[in-house]
Amino acid sequence: MEKENNTSTISVAMNGGDGINSYANNSSFQKVAVDGAKGMIREAIKEKLDIQQMFSSFPSKTICIADLGCSVGPNTFTAVQNIIDEIEHKYYSQGLSLQIPEFQVFFNDHVGNDFNKLLTSLPSERQYFAAAVPGSFHNRLFPKASLHFVHSSYSLQWLSKIPKEVEDVNSPAWNKGRISYGDSPEEVVEAFSNQYVKDVETFLWARAQEVVSGGLVALILPTYPMETLSEKSFPLPVDLLGTCLMEMAKKGLVSESKVDSFNVPGYAPSVKEFEKAIKSNGCFGVERLELLKTKVGLDAQTTSMHHRAVLEGLISKNFGAEITDELFALFADKLAEYSHFYNPENRIYADLFVLLKKK
Amino acid sequence: MEKENNTSTISVAMNGGDGINSYANNSSFQKVAVDGAKGMIREAIKEKLDIQQMFSSFPSKTICIADLGCSVGPNTFTAVQNIIDEIEHKYYSQGLSLQIPEFQVFFNDHVGNDFNKLLTSLPSERQYFAAAVPGSFHNRLFPKASLHFVHSSYSLQWLSKIPKEVEDVNSPAWNKGRISYGDSPEEVVEAFSNQYVKDVETFLWARAQEVVSGGLVALILPTYPMETLSEKSFPLPVDLLGTCLMEMAKKGLVSESKVDSFNVPGYAPSVKEFEKAIKSNGCFGVERLELLKTKVGLDAQTTSMHHRAVLEGLISKNFGAEITDELFALFADKLAEYSHFYNPENRIYADLFVLLKKK
């Protein structure tokens, strides 16, 4: 069922454990999005969750919730508890307190995720049955019509693979000397964009089968308000990380050709791009699509740590673990020098909240 | 839901990873039981699994299977595949090939199990959706009426806790100088037996809620054919391990009082004891209860390695990790000296296969 062993699929696993560089201790940035979407998720459940409809075709006494791309916590536990609290509140407010169902929560991430850390961190007083589901959400992960609420925050910016042409020296989309599309020629941006659209399609194709009719899908993702591919932003922090790698290459500390062939498999679409991908799927109604009013005030050091928690696994795999201390120290220095890269006042990204309802 | 954080519950987690002392590489002993029960499980599905009945109250297109106390593989994957193959075969043989359901498999073990190892070892070509469920099977782990087939092999010999009186210096059941009930006074055996009965009761209480009407529970466990508690066996291998600890205590390498207060939370019941516990629950019909004709020909070194993979976590926690190399080397030497402890010809234990059907 899960084809993640296919070598063409990239697994982006956040740093595990609970050390200084762990994702668990460096995900305050992603927490802002989870907190920012809290109210919208509550409204979604209050106004759009039709319990009668959900249980009409597959009667059950359990509500099944999945958090896709959950990483290791603690953000996933906050998000899940918010959903459960609001569903319970809905039952109470409808005078159905005696019919409150049991909850089963599926925490999903790549096989390489630190599930040991996730499972030992589960809240001890949780009122739900927990299960960990390994695998890429670009594939099927759950049985047909088995989920009632799907949540995914800061995960749908990850691609299932790097588009071939950006690693092809003979292609006009070859992304030489850079590790992201952010500050790259239009051909590179287009290649990333095309891959992104394909990935959203496979994501929605899988969810269309897994979610019951009437079930909800809440997505929070970074978006990029460009209208056309040729509209350049100023470069992203990850582009500055690419610059650091190139500096290290010039000093002979990493191979320049490795930098040329390395690309971070992430892409933040424009709202229009994302909307188009949803509509082409056709299995979901778009109930809400709105930018979050979130602002994150991270400093240079924290921004570097945040990137390290997310990207260290990929970087180590490609360049060797021995370079990461120096790389992220250099990155922190550069960020301090060029504060427009992370200053929230200049932030051109915005987090998008999307609520879908399965037809 | 899961109360494993309760300090009174003992978590026996097998050695993780894939090193020389890992459970994954030292579970050939348990494999014999899985292989020995294969035919009986196939017969169970062929003769006793009533698909119509199972789906009558909770219609679904998915068959949910749980392996309780799965550890890290590979035995659990073999057991699960056998179950799925036979269910599919049943659909084919009834001309229902177009109605073959999807399968969702829940792999359960204690929170401290190496789930990272388990999930990275999942067969890549599996035809089922996989999920890991952390927690003690003496508690509820799954929603009501959500499982169709429960399997548990070589797990139900573990107790949820050590009976208080065997650690109480003022009790006649104080188990001084020993780490198991095997070669102990009747009071000790009785205390272990009482705890075992309570644990089987909580196990069955939880499963009675989780398994659909008509669903099957297949259990494989080591049993001990004594009729009364006063009938002594010759000591078990784990008692010889206790002797080794006492020898190390005499040399000042471990604290004797620690040996006095340490007990392995395992108990192999007699067939009659087990049968009685099932009947007192009353929610299951006993479809089959039969000793397996399994024989394991392990040598002294392999027997020591097998015990190490199972008990090293507990031993390290109580005596410190630094003693384990010496302890298990000494244990291997002792086993070589006293071959009756592991010689299959002398084996007084027998593996019991139990098939229950939820009423």
Side-chain angles (χ1 to χ4, degrees):
Chain A
M1 301 268 173
E2 167 52 37
K3 301 285 184 281
E4 196 154 25
N5 286 327
N6 185 328
T7 50
S8 67
T9 300
I10 293 182
S11 163
V12 184
M14 308 294 103
N15 275 357
D18 48 15
I20 193 169
N21 297 318
S22 65
Y23 183 82
N25 289 328
N26 292 281
S27 46
S28 57
F29 180 84
Q30 293 85 345
K31 182 181 189 303
V32 172
V34 166
D35 291 344
K38 196 170 175 178
M40 292 191 188
I41 288 190
R42 295 201 154 202
E43 283 170 25
I45 291 165
K46 190 175 176 191
E47 294 162 15
K48 308 290 184 183
L49 193 73
D50 184 339
I51 289 160
Q52 299 287 337
Q53 183 191 356
M54 282 200 314
F55 287 151
S56 63
S57 52
F58 285 90
S60 166
K61 287 183 179 171
T62 308
I63 287 189
C64 294
I65 297 165
D67 188 35
L68 307 182
C70 66
S71 190
V72 291
N75 294 340
T76 185
F77 305 131
T78 306
V80 159
Q81 195 56 53
N82 183 41
I83 294 165
I84 291 175
D85 286 347
E86 191 60 28
I87 295 177
E88 285 188 341
H89 182 258
K90 185 164 186 152
Y91 274 82
Y92 278 114
S93 67
Q94 294 183 356
L96 300 171
S97 58
L98 295 176
Q99 291 169 49
I100 290 178
E102 294 185 324
F103 292 91
Q104 188 170 33
V105 179
F106 295 94
F107 295 94
N108 156 257
D109 211 310
H110 285 289
V111 166
N113 186 46
D114 188 351
F115 284 104
N116 286 349
K117 166 70 181 160
L118 175 81
L119 297 175
T120 51
S121 309
L122 277 165
S124 58
E125 293 305 307
R126 67 188 182 277
Q127 292 301 311
Y128 53 84
F129 300 106
V133 170
S136 163
F137 56 45
H138 295 296
N139 298 318
R140 284 282 306 281
L141 293 167
F142 302 95
K144 280 179 195 151
S146 65
L147 298 177
H148 302 95
F149 198 107
V150 170
H151 177 268
S152 185
S153 182
Y154 257 77
S155 300
L156 212 54
Q157 75 276 22
W158 296 115
L159 299 176
S160 70
K161 61 184 78 167
I162 298 294
K164 273 182 193 162
E165 52 271 44
V166 305
E167 293 178 342
D168 176 1
V169 290
N170 298 315
S171 165
W174 185 37
N175 201 22
K176 180 173 170 50
R178 289 174 300 268
I179 65 168
S180 165
Y181 62 91
D183 194 27
S184 298
E186 187 177 336
E187 289 87 350
V188 176
V189 184
E190 188 175 3
F192 272 85
S193 170
N194 290 341
Q195 183 60 47
Y196 188 79
V197 170
K198 278 185 213 160
D199 281 342
V200 173
E201 280 170 5
T202 57
F203 178 92
L204 292 177
W205 166 83
R207 304 299 85 76
Q209 293 171 79
E210 295 165 356
V211 176
V212 297
S213 181
L216 298 180
V217 177
L219 306 170
I220 300 133
L221 63 146
T223 54
Y224 181 44
M226 63 184 180
E227 290 299 313
T228 67
L229 296 177
S230 61
E231 281 184 78
K232 295 268 172 61
S233 70
F234 53 81
L236 315 172
V238 72
D239 292 303
L240 197 62
L241 185 67
T243 307
C244 296
L245 276 167
M246 279 305 281
E247 275 191 22
M248 288 176 76
K250 300 293 182 208
K251 289 181 188 164
L253 299 170
V254 298
S255 141
E256 188 170 332
S257 67
K258 277 195 181 173
V259 182
D260 291 344
S261 65
F262 175 70
N263 287 277
V264 173
Y267 182 79
S270 71
V271 176
K272 282 196 178 171
E273 274 180 297
F274 196 76
E275 208 171 1
K276 197 173 151 192
I278 300 166
K279 289 193 174 152
S280 89
N281 171 275
C283 298
F284 295 92
V286 181
E287 300 288 336
R288 192 162 184 176
L289 197 136
E290 191 174 328
L291 293 175
L292 293 177
K293 290 177 190 67
T294 45
K295 271 197 178 170
V296 194
L298 301 181
D299 60 16
Q301 182 59 34
T302 316
T303 304
S304 174
M305 293 286 276
H306 153 73
H307 279 77
R308 182 172 186 159
V310 172
L311 295 174
E312 187 164 16
L314 276 180
I315 301 267
S316 294
K317 199 175 162 192
N318 281 274
F319 299 99
E322 64 280 5
I323 72 148
T324 56
D325 281 344
E326 188 169 341
L327 174 64
F328 286 98
L330 181 60
F331 185 42
D333 290 345
K334 288 269 178 200
L335 283 164
E337 201 176 333
Y338 302 100
S339 66
H340 62 270
F341 273 103
Y342 64 88
N343 187 329
E345 297 304 322
N346 297 329
R347 198 173 173 234
I348 197 164
Y349 273 73
D351 293 333
L352 178 68
F353 177 81
V354 183
L355 183 71
L356 308 176
K357 188 171 191 171
K358 176 77 193 318
K359 290 178 184 169
Chain B
M1 300 267 174
E2 166 52 38
K3 301 284 183 280
E4 195 155 23
N5 285 328
N6 185 327
T7 50
S8 66
T9 299
I10 293 183
S11 162
V12 184
M14 308 294 105
N15 276 356
D18 49 14
I20 194 170
N21 297 319
S22 64
Y23 183 82
N25 289 328
N26 292 283
S27 47
S28 57
F29 180 84
Q30 293 85 344
K31 182 180 189 302
V32 172
V34 166
D35 290 344
K38 195 170 177 178
M40 291 190 188
I41 288 191
R42 295 200 154 203
E43 284 170 24
I45 291 165
K46 190 175 174 188
E47 294 162 15
K48 308 290 184 184
L49 194 74
D50 184 339
I51 290 159
Q52 299 286 338
Q53 182 191 354
M54 280 200 315
F55 288 150
S56 63
S57 51
F58 287 89
S60 167
K61 285 182 178 169
T62 309
I63 287 188
C64 293
I65 298 164
D67 189 34
L68 306 183
C70 66
S71 190
V72 292
N75 295 340
T76 185
F77 306 130
T78 307
V80 158
Q81 195 57 52
N82 182 41
I83 294 165
I84 291 176
D85 286 347
E86 192 59 28
I87 295 177
E88 286 190 340
H89 182 258
K90 184 162 188 156
Y91 274 83
Y92 278 115
S93 67
Q94 294 183 356
L96 300 170
S97 58
L98 294 177
Q99 293 170 46
I100 291 178
E102 294 184 325
F103 292 91
Q104 187 170 33
V105 179
F106 295 94
F107 295 94
N108 157 258
D109 211 309
H110 285 290
V111 167
N113 186 45
D114 189 351
F115 285 104
N116 286 348
K117 166 70 180 163
L118 174 80
L119 298 176
T120 51
S121 310
L122 278 165
S124 58
E125 293 305 307
R126 65 189 184 276
Q127 293 301 308
Y128 53 84
F129 299 105
V133 171
S136 163
F137 55 46
H138 295 296
N139 299 316
R140 285 281 307 280
L141 294 166
F142 302 94
K144 279 178 196 151
S146 65
L147 299 177
H148 302 95
F149 199 106
V150 170
H151 177 268
S152 185
S153 183
Y154 257 80
S155 300
L156 213 54
Q157 75 276 23
W158 295 114
L159 299 176
S160 71
K161 61 183 77 166
I162 298 294
K164 274 181 193 163
E165 52 271 44
V166 304
E167 293 176 344
D168 176 1
V169 290
N170 298 315
S171 164
W174 185 37
N175 201 21
K176 180 172 169 51
R178 290 174 299 268
I179 64 168
S180 165
Y181 62 91
D183 195 26
S184 298
E186 187 176 337
E187 289 86 352
V188 177
V189 183
E190 189 175 3
F192 272 84
S193 170
N194 290 342
Q195 183 60 47
Y196 189 79
V197 170
K198 279 185 213 160
D199 282 342
V200 172
E201 279 169 6
T202 58
F203 177 92
L204 291 177
W205 166 83
R207 303 300 85 75
Q209 294 170 79
E210 296 164 354
V211 177
V212 298
S213 179
L216 298 180
V217 177
L219 306 170
I220 300 133
L221 64 147
T223 54
Y224 182 46
M226 63 186 180
E227 290 299 315
T228 66
L229 296 177
S230 62
E231 281 184 77
K232 295 268 172 61
S233 70
F234 54 82
L236 316 172
V238 74
D239 293 302
L240 196 62
L241 186 67
T243 308
C244 296
L245 276 167
M246 279 305 282
E247 275 191 24
M248 288 175 75
K250 301 290 182 210
K251 289 182 191 165
L253 298 170
V254 298
S255 141
E256 189 169 332
S257 67
K258 278 195 180 174
V259 182
D260 290 344
S261 65
F262 175 70
N263 286 278
V264 172
Y267 182 78
S270 71
V271 177
K272 281 196 179 171
E273 273 180 297
F274 196 77
E275 208 169 2
K276 197 175 152 193
I278 299 167
K279 287 191 176 152
S280 89
N281 171 275
C283 298
F284 295 92
V286 181
E287 299 288 337
R288 192 163 182 176
L289 197 137
E290 193 172 327
L291 293 174
L292 292 177
K293 289 175 189 67
T294 46
K295 271 199 177 168
V296 194
L298 300 182
D299 60 17
Q301 183 59 34
T302 316
T303 304
S304 175
M305 293 285 276
H306 152 74
H307 279 77
R308 182 173 186 157
V310 173
L311 296 174
E312 187 164 17
L314 275 180
I315 301 266
S316 294
K317 198 175 162 193
N318 282 274
F319 300 99
E322 64 280 5
I323 72 149
T324 55
D325 280 346
E326 187 169 341
L327 174 63
F328 286 98
L330 181 60
F331 184 44
D333 290 348
K334 288 268 177 201
L335 283 165
E337 202 177 331
Y338 301 102
S339 67
H340 62 270
F341 273 102
Y342 65 89
N343 188 330
E345 297 304 322
N346 297 331
R347 197 172 174 235
I348 197 165
Y349 273 73
D351 294 332
L352 179 67
F353 176 81
V354 183
L355 182 71
L356 307 176
K357 187 171 190 171
K358 175 77 195 318
K359 289 178 184 168

